[in-house]
Structure formats: structure tokens, C-alpha cells
Amino acid sequence: MVDPARSSGTDNPIGPPSPQLATQAQLAISANRLPGGGVDVPGLAASVERVRQENPEAAGWVEAEIDRNLSPVERGDLARALDGDTAGATPPAAANDTAPNPVELGLDLTQLALDITGIIEPTPFSDGGNTVISAGRAIGSLFSGDFGAAGGHAVNGVLSAAGMLPYLGDAAKAGKVGKWAQTVSDAVSAVATNPALRGALEPALRQVKNAVDAIPQGAIDALPSSARDAIGRMKGQLDEFFGASARQADEGVYRGTVRGQTVELRGVDAVPTNYVKRDRVEYQALRNTFDSKVRGDFLRDLASDPAKVDALRRAGLDQAAIDRIASGRVPQGWQVHHKLPLDDGGTNSFDNLVLIKNDPHHLALTNAQRALVGDLTVGQSRQIDFPIPRGFVYPPTP
């Protein structure tokens, strides 16, 4: 998607040239972070387009930093959204279509783990267990009238049974490796598309990862090259999936202070920022523009988008508050907050704004800013981890 060097004037494609651009990328991701995990790809694409228009010289670096913080599935979806290519995107479900069945995906992953364990297990228990599961799934599919699925489970059972036989077993497993990789890809994509499936599928994916990691290198080397490549792709997807989970687990909880008491703010990232105290004339000009125009425009934009209105309702705002927002006025008890302050390098871009509840959330962030950089004078700088709330309304639930 991105060639960072195209607009930087340098041949070095590694990372952004300044902390400010890295922060700008983090703000774009934060503005489009979904409450259940992942990102709103169309919204992120709109943010990238704004960066391209407002700061074309740095756009390549910002996009590269955004890419670095996305999963492979999200990167592909974002690239298609930016290219205007919807042919490769997941089509909307038909009216009589159903979402991925977590039970079926979970069983697929369980059998996959048993298959992989059977590579290194000298006893027939893994392959035997897999055969029994396939037989049960085939019978269940027959009773439900899904004859295609019944046939697929029956074939899988035969291959698992063959896996218990010397020599023939190794060939049977090698023939299933391509299907293993596709099953992992389907499960990871399902979680990326519907984060609610994570709780149902993550344990089974973890089981698969443990099985893959336990395969001796000698056993992998003995497989055909196509099977080795498929295992490598599968391992890469699993490492990325659980690496992203670990990063998310470490992010998103900020502890601030209000009236001497510790306040835990969930969904607030501590973003590495090179905070530079802004010239007061420049600051005041930006602040005047915000007060006279941008605040109202931002609020009206929220109220004009049905999806954002739904999010406002989930945040606890009633119809009277939403009507006030639609008129460009701040609802009582709330504030429009600059995620990265105008006092530093923040802008009046909508990606840098969030409708936030005053007490204790906005108070905690204001107190944090005062404690972190309140002593700086114009032109002074400090490298800090600055608290930045996700999304366009915070907190996302009461």
C-alpha cells in the first residue's frame, strides 16, 4: 500500500522521520478504533485520505506507520479501501446468509491441532481422536441435510485414520497441510471481521499454535516443500494474531488522578510523543478557529452519521443530548477534547478530537497533561507517553 520514500526525499524506507508523524499515525488509528477490538477500515481510509490532502509530503511516512500497527487482514482491507477496489473485499451477507459458525470453526481448529500433534506423537491417539470427531460431524451433517459437509468430514476421517498407519500416515498428513493453513486463515479473518468471535476461537487457535510450535524442525524438513511453506505461512499468521493480542492487552488502560484519587481509564493509550511547547500566537490562532468553527462542525458531523449516533447512544447520551450535538453545541457534562493538545503539535483535524465526559475522564487527562508538561516553556520539548483516548466518543459506554 505504501512507499514511504515516495514523499520523503530519502531512500530510507524504515519508520517515520519524526516522532510527530508517528503520533499522527497513532491518532488516525485511535480515532477509528472499534470498542471490541480492530479498526473501522472505511473510517481509517478516510483519515489517510485527509492526511494525503493536508500533508502530502509526509503522507507516505504516516501511512507506513499506520500499516505497521495493523494486522495483515486489516492492511489488505485498508489497501483495497484506499484503491477503491471492493472486488476483493468481503461482500455483505445475503439476507438469508449466516455469520461464521464459531462451533464449526472451533471443531475445525481442534481437529487441526490433533492432526499436527499426530506428526510428532508416536501413538495413534491424536489421529484416532480426529477420526472419531470427523465421523461424528459427518453423521451430524447427514441428519441436517448438508451432504457436501458430510462428505468433507468423511474424507477427513479417512485421512486421519490413514495417519495411524506407518509410512502411509506421513503422506496422508502432508496432503492435509494446505487445508490446515486455510483453516487458520479463515479463523483469523473471522475474528478480524467480527471481534466478538475472539472469545470462542482464541482457545482453539492457541491449541493450534502450541501444536505448530512443538513440531521438531526435522519433521518439518521431511515434508514436501509445499507442505513446509504452508506450515510457515500458518506459523506466521498465528504469531501475528497472538502478537497483536499481546500488544492490545498491554495497551488501553491509563491511570490518572482526580481530586487525589486514582482513576483507571480504559481505552486510553499511552502514545510515545515528542511534546514541543507551541508558540503562543500560533496556539491562540488555532484555539480561536476551534472555538469559533471547528467544535461545532465536529459535533454536527457526529450527529449526521447514523453509525456515530448509535455510538453516542451506547455512550449514554439521550435524544435531548443528541439534538444538542446536532445543533453544534456541547451536551451538559461533556467536552470536546483535543487528543494531542494544541499546546503541542495537535491540530483541529476531526481525527484529533473526541467528545469526552468531563468528570472524571476529561479532568484526569487534563491533570495528566499538567503533570507531564505543565512546566515547559515555549520551544522546550520532552519525550513522554501521552494519554490519548480512542474513538470519537469517550467513554464508549456509561
Side-chain angles (χ1 to χ4, degrees):
M1 180 186 96
V2 174
D3 176 11
R6 72 185 179 202
S7 55
S8 66
T10 176
D11 293 328
N12 179 15
I14 307 298
S18 74
Q20 286 83 359
L21 294 183
T23 303
Q24 188 173 358
Q26 291 291 342
L27 285 170
I29 295 172
S30 170
N32 295 285
R33 183 87 71 179
L34 297 173
V39 295
D40 172 12
V41 172
L44 186 57
S47 295
V48 170
E49 291 291 357
R50 282 195 293 272
V51 172
R52 289 177 174 179
Q53 294 173 10
E54 296 170 1
N55 194 0
E57 293 184 355
W61 292 102
V62 174
E63 291 175 48
E65 182 69 6
I66 289 173
D67 266 11
R68 193 178 67 81
N69 285 274
L70 300 179
S71 71
V73 173
E74 290 165 345
R75 286 186 206 118
D77 289 345
L78 178 59
R80 285 191 291 273
L82 289 170
D83 292 341
D85 175 16
T86 57
T90 303
N96 62 349
D97 200 6
T98 58
N101 187 330
V103 175
E104 291 295 317
L105 278 173
L107 286 171
D108 285 342
L109 292 168
T110 298
Q111 291 195 265
L112 193 162
L114 289 170
D115 269 334
I116 297 172
T117 301
I119 290 179
I120 57 175
E121 185 184 67
T123 67
F125 293 131
S126 293
D127 292 319
N130 214 341
T131 302
V132 171
I133 293 174
S134 290
R137 295 179 75 182
I139 292 170
S141 295
L142 282 173
F143 275 107
S144 67
D146 191 346
F147 300 109
H153 294 316
V155 170
N156 190 58
V158 170
L159 291 174
S160 295
M164 293 185 284
L165 302 176
Y167 306 113
L168 176 61
D170 292 337
K173 292 186 185 74
K176 297 170 72 174
V177 174
K179 182 182 177 184
W180 295 347
Q182 186 59 52
T183 298
V184 169
S185 179
D186 290 346
V188 170
S189 296
V191 173
T193 303
N194 182 6
L197 292 178
R198 179 178 291 275
L201 296 181
E202 187 167 320
L205 283 166
R206 173 64 70 182
Q207 187 179 15
V208 172
K209 177 171 169 51
N210 291 340
V212 171
D213 290 343
I215 302 175
Q217 187 60 45
I220 295 177
D221 293 340
L223 293 170
S225 60
S226 59
R228 291 198 304 272
D229 292 343
I231 287 178
R233 291 196 305 274
M234 185 166 52
K235 181 174 174 56
Q237 280 193 308
L238 290 165
D239 287 345
E240 172 64 28
F241 178 83
F242 285 103
S245 296
R247 289 193 297 272
Q248 289 176 7
D250 292 337
E251 296 174 348
V253 179
Y254 189 85
R255 290 172 179 83
T257 302
V258 176
R259 294 182 287 272
Q261 300 296 315
T262 298
V263 175
E264 189 173 84
L265 303 179
R266 296 192 172 274
V268 173
D269 297 316
V271 177
T273 303
N274 185 37
Y275 195 105
V276 182
K277 186 80 169 181
R278 189 174 235 144
D279 175 79
R280 294 299 87 185
V281 173
E282 184 181 358
Y283 163 81
Q284 196 57 56
L286 287 166
R287 186 74 207 186
N288 290 343
T289 301
F290 173 75
D291 290 337
S292 63
K293 184 176 188 300
V294 175
R295 182 194 288 111
D297 290 347
F298 171 72
L299 292 169
R300 284 185 285 270
D301 178 75
L302 294 183
S304 68
D305 184 333
K308 291 180 179 179
V309 171
D310 287 343
L312 295 176
R313 294 188 194 281
R314 290 194 298 271
L317 291 152
D318 60 17
Q319 187 59 49
I322 292 173
D323 289 343
R324 187 175 177 88
I325 291 169
S327 70
R329 295 178 295 163
V330 180
Q332 186 175 4
W334 293 73
Q335 187 67 256
V336 177
H337 169 75
H338 286 84
K339 297 180 178 184
L340 190 63
L342 296 179
D343 183 65
D344 172 40
T347 70
N348 284 325
S349 168
F350 287 0
D351 285 347
N352 193 41
L353 302 178
V354 58
L355 180 64
I356 188 170
K357 205 166 188 178
N358 275 334
D359 195 353
H361 311 87
H362 186 247
L363 289 174
L365 296 181
T366 300
N367 289 343
Q369 178 185 359
R370 187 179 299 114
L372 290 167
V373 295
D375 60 328
L376 294 182
T377 59
V378 172
Q380 285 187 321
S381 65
R382 180 173 296 154
Q383 188 68 32
I384 57 172
D385 290 336
F386 198 79
I388 293 180
R390 299 172 182 172
F392 52 82
V393 58
Y394 185 85
T397 56

